[in-house]
Amino acid sequence: MAITSNKISCSTTAQVVVNLDDVTQYVSLHSKGAIYIGSVGVTSTTGFLIDNGDKLSITVPAACSLYAITATGNADLYVLTTRVD
């Protein structure tokens, strides 16, 4: 098992939050701004909204990835990932 933490500066261009991997990953997110998350190609229209200050824990299955984007401007997303081998 490996645990990593990261701060991602999200913008209006979708970027990867959790890389595609061959194992299940448990992810905790903490938003400092309005951020939308989803699969590759996520937009502020199709993504799941995480409002400023929200915290969310999700499971990212093996062979899946997670992306984030903002509707306008920039916002920070704090990410804690536990990879289960």
Side-chain angles (χ1 to χ4, degrees), residues 16-84:
V16 70
V17 174
V18 177
N19 286 314
L20 183 72
D21 206 335
D22 60 349
V23 297
T24 298
Q25 299 178 75
Y26 301 99
V27 182
S28 295
L29 304 171
H30 184 190
S31 176
K32 289 297 184 182
I35 296 173
Y36 300 84
I37 61 169
S39 62
V40 65
V42 67
T43 68
S44 58
T45 303
T46 61
F48 180 83
L49 173 62
I50 305 175
D51 272 324
N52 185 38
D54 280 356
K55 297 175 184 171
L56 176 69
S57 293
I58 61 172
T59 301
V60 178
C64 293
S65 55
L66 184 68
Y67 288 78
I69 194 168
T70 62
T72 61
N74 296 313
D76 290 331
L77 183 63
Y78 295 86
V79 182
L80 182 68
T81 304
T82 303
R83 179 190 150 109
V84 180

